[in-house]
Amino acid sequence: TRELADKNLQLEALSTTDWLTKISNRIKLESDFSAQLDRARHFGTSFAVLLCDVDYFKRINDTFGHQAGDQVLVELAGLLKSTMRQSDQVGRWGGEEFMLILPETSLDAALTLAERLRLLVSQHSFPGGAASVTISVGVSAYRADDTQESLTERADQALYRAKSEGRNRVCD
């Protein structure tokens, strides 16, 4: 019946959407990532992955409260979503970490976007008292021998480097 179909659609949306930010959750990101990897292998196309992490997020929660921290995450999700193409995917990877999957995107183009996002976030006035927020971004681009794990691991290592080199920066 129509009612059952509608309920199933609602259930699917609930199971693939992050409850707080209303963007894709990790389950949906993993699925989209897998599909993008299959496309890249099949058609020989490029794509890139960005891992973004809010700098000193614990300090935001400790200083302004968890509600302010939640507001920062919601606002950041909106900023990320508003600057992406329709074909790009953004989701909450975990905690204060976001992943962007960018089809048909080279490493250079991904680095340019990551830098644009970093700058946009650093200049944005966030609500809830935590007006000034920065992000660190790790970038990796698909290679022919990549798995989902290897591509994510490179982005994660790049993010770690961005953090260890002083935060509020982009690394690949």
Side-chain angles (χ1 to χ4, degrees):
T1 69
R2 184 80 188 121
E3 190 177 342
L4 184 60
D6 287 347
K7 291 288 180 203
N8 281 337
L9 283 173
Q10 287 174 351
L11 231 110
E12 185 182 343
L14 280 172
S15 70
T16 59
T17 303
D18 178 63
W19 65 273
L20 177 66
T21 60
K22 307 298 183 237
I23 59 176
S24 295
N25 64 13
R26 186 162 181 155
I27 293 167
K28 176 82 168 110
L29 276 174
E30 296 265 4
S31 170
D32 291 343
F33 197 132
S34 179
Q36 188 56 51
L37 196 56
D38 289 345
R39 264 193 298 282
R41 284 184 182 135
H42 184 77
F43 296 109
T45 57
S46 61
F47 78 100
V49 172
L50 274 55
L51 276 178
C52 308
D53 190 79
V54 179
D55 295 327
Y56 302 110
F57 188 70
K58 184 180 178 338
R59 191 185 300 164
I60 293 169
N61 278 337
D62 291 349
T63 306
F64 303 105
H66 289 275
Q67 208 168 9
D70 285 352
Q71 283 183 287
V72 165
L73 296 177
V74 168
E75 190 92 2
L76 178 56
L79 277 176
L80 295 174
K81 206 168 169 61
S82 72
T83 59
M84 296 172 32
R85 304 168 300 183
Q86 197 157 2
S87 60
D88 299 336
Q89 279 294 81
V90 63
R92 191 165 170 201
W93 191 241
E96 67 276 10
E97 204 168 74
F98 296 82
M99 178 183 271
L100 287 77
I101 301 169
L102 312 170
E104 306 287 332
T105 305
S106 68
L107 181 61
D108 284 346
L111 286 166
T112 300
L113 174 66
E115 182 55 32
R116 200 168 81 225
L117 289 171
R118 186 202 62 76
L119 197 60
L120 177 72
V121 171
S122 71
Q123 295 172 344
H124 185 77
S125 182
F126 284 81
S132 179
V133 173
T134 60
I135 58 171
S136 297
V137 186
V139 181
S140 64
Y142 171 72
R143 299 176 187 157
D145 62 343
D146 264 325
T147 62
Q148 198 164 333
E149 293 74 29
S150 65
L151 192 51
T152 305
E153 180 63 25
R154 278 201 316 281
D156 203 43
Q157 287 170 353
L159 175 60
Y160 181 78
R161 218 168 28 260
K163 293 270 189 197
S164 66
E165 290 176 10
R167 295 180 168 80
N168 191 25
R169 66 188 64 230
V170 172
C171 288
D172 67 349

